[in-house]
Amino acid sequence: MADIRFAVEREKKEIKITPEILKELQAIQLEILIEFDRICNENHIDYSLDGGTLLGAVRHKGFIPWDDDIDIIMLRRDYEKFFKLYTSGLINEKFFLQEHRTDKFYMVGYPRIQRNNTIYRRAGHEHMKYHQGVFIDLFVLDNVPDSKFFRSLHRLLCFCCRKILWSKSGKKLAKNIVLRMWWTIVALIPAKFAFGLNNTLAHLANRRETVLVRHNTHPYPNPKVCGYGIPRVLLDSFTTLEFEGIKFKAVTEYDKYLTMLYGDYMKLPSRDKQVPHIHLSAFEGVKK
């Protein structure tokens, strides 16, 4: 009965992502991506379109028609260059680089670039204090130890970081009362601890190049598909691909990468899966 009430309450808070909302959302995300690309090109910073965004560029030359986000990957060294540019005030004030160093309430393990003066609130995240506007995701890649033992230990510690950061959402979004109680307990661990542990893992692993790299605090790429990480050599060479009529950077071996992630990536999913995957409780485009 408690699970049913929880599902009903969540459904009440959700808004339907209509084609009009999706179009406006994608337009704002593209605006953010264009500014990000400009800064990177002017300052010799490498990055690549990632995930569904990379797939969209290859298969659709733009957004997957039902996709509701933009994903970017970049190595830690390139992200830190970008971060310094942001903190130096060299990025348009319309945009906000959101991570734990710029937003003390932020509880997500990877940075985002938000468009100021927008609202994009996920259902079940209304209680979170960090600003929730339209954004693109920046997945920062850190090295994975080459040793089999330390790879396993590294993955375990990354898992712990991720769960601590998710806990404040999990205590509201978990599907049953037992799990919500569990996440309530985990949420007592300060986010500062998780970010500190992740920074230590990144520092130790990044002292020298390794065979694999990964996003430490996000289960992507799926470990069931990519094991402990993705080959670092994928990030050694870049090309450009068309996305919504504009050229953006992508790993040169995008076919190998997309096959690794999705298998036969040119095949469309079934009709019932061709829908936005984010549940929203509030959305507002750029305020005039």
Side-chain angles (χ1 to χ4, degrees):
M1 183 64 71
D3 292 346
I4 294 174
R5 285 200 301 269
F6 176 74
V8 170
E9 285 302 313
R10 176 174 173 175
E11 187 174 345
K12 285 180 180 178
K13 295 177 182 177
E14 291 183 14
I15 61 172
K16 180 177 176 58
I17 300 182
T18 63
E20 292 76 22
I21 287 179
L22 183 60
K23 183 178 180 180
E24 185 175 6
L25 174 61
Q26 290 176 341
I28 297 170
Q29 292 170 338
L30 182 60
E31 178 193 16
I32 301 171
L33 180 59
I34 290 171
E35 173 68 6
F36 172 77
D37 175 74
R38 181 187 70 80
I39 295 296
C40 288
N41 286 337
E42 290 179 358
N43 294 276
H44 311 290
I45 297 173
D46 288 324
Y47 74 89
S48 173
L49 303 179
D50 192 29
T53 310
L54 179 59
L55 174 56
V58 174
R59 194 171 68 192
H60 305 273
K61 295 189 179 299
F63 282 101
I64 296 173
W66 56 90
D67 200 6
D68 52 11
D69 64 2
I70 284 181
D71 298 323
I72 297 296
I73 53 170
M74 57 199 313
L75 292 171
R76 173 70 62 181
R77 69 188 183 200
D78 292 303
Y79 174 69
E80 291 303 331
K81 290 179 186 177
F82 185 82
F83 181 83
K84 288 181 181 178
L85 291 172
Y86 176 79
T87 55
S88 299
L90 298 181
I91 297 177
N92 193 306
E93 62 182 11
K94 293 190 297 184
F95 305 98
F96 170 45
L97 178 58
Q98 188 177 37
E99 54 135 275
H100 70 283
R101 289 175 290 182
T102 61
D103 184 343
K104 67 179 181 179
F105 298 113
Y106 196 52
M107 291 284 291
V108 181
Y110 46 91
R112 290 170 171 168
I113 303 178
Q114 284 195 16
R115 178 58 162 90
N116 289 324
N117 299 315
T118 62
I119 296 174
Y120 180 86
R121 187 170 298 117
R122 296 182 64 170
H125 290 242
E126 296 82 4
H127 64 294
M128 303 299 283
K129 294 182 179 180
Y130 60 82
H131 183 262
Q132 298 184 55
V134 178
F135 61 85
I136 66 172
D137 288 321
L138 302 183
F139 293 115
V140 181
L141 300 172
D142 289 304
N143 292 343
V144 175
D146 289 328
S147 158
K148 187 174 181 179
F149 170 77
F150 284 111
R151 277 184 180 176
S152 297
L153 178 61
H154 182 267
R155 183 161 67 180
L156 174 62
L157 294 174
C158 288
F159 174 84
C160 293
C161 289
R162 186 169 76 249
K163 295 306 180 182
I164 292 170
L165 294 175
W166 170 251
S167 60
K168 280 187 169 56
S169 297
K171 69 181 185 179
K172 296 286 186 180
L173 295 173
K175 294 182 179 180
N176 62 65
I177 191 169
V178 174
L179 284 175
R180 292 199 292 277
M181 288 176 63
W182 164 250
W183 287 121
T184 299
I185 294 171
V186 176
L188 297 175
I189 303 173
K192 186 180 295 186
F193 173 82
F195 286 122
L197 176 57
N198 179 57
N199 288 342
T200 299
L201 292 174
H203 173 74
L204 292 174
N206 291 341
R207 289 181 298 180
R208 64 182 181 86
E209 286 192 5
T210 57
V211 175
L212 301 177
V213 292
R214 63 162 288 171
H215 317 294
N216 284 356
T217 52
H218 192 269
Y220 175 82
N222 189 329
K224 293 181 180 179
V225 176
C226 300
Y228 291 96
I230 60 175
R232 195 211 173 285
V233 294
L234 287 175
L235 279 297
D236 284 344
S237 176
F238 298 87
T239 184
T240 58
L241 293 175
E242 182 180 335
F243 186 89
E244 299 298 329
I246 304 170
K247 294 285 189 177
F248 295 103
K249 280 188 175 182
V251 291
T252 301
E253 294 192 79
Y254 58 82
D255 176 69
K256 179 179 179 179
Y257 184 44
L258 288 173
T259 301
M260 183 188 304
L261 296 181
Y262 303 112
D264 183 7
Y265 60 85
M266 294 302 287
K267 182 180 179 181
L268 290 172
S270 58
R271 195 72 179 177
D272 63 306
K273 294 182 179 179
Q274 296 180 23
V275 294
H277 68 281
I278 298 295
H279 300 278
L280 296 180
S281 64
F283 171 77
E284 188 173 326
V286 179
K287 299 175 184 177
K288 304 299 182 182

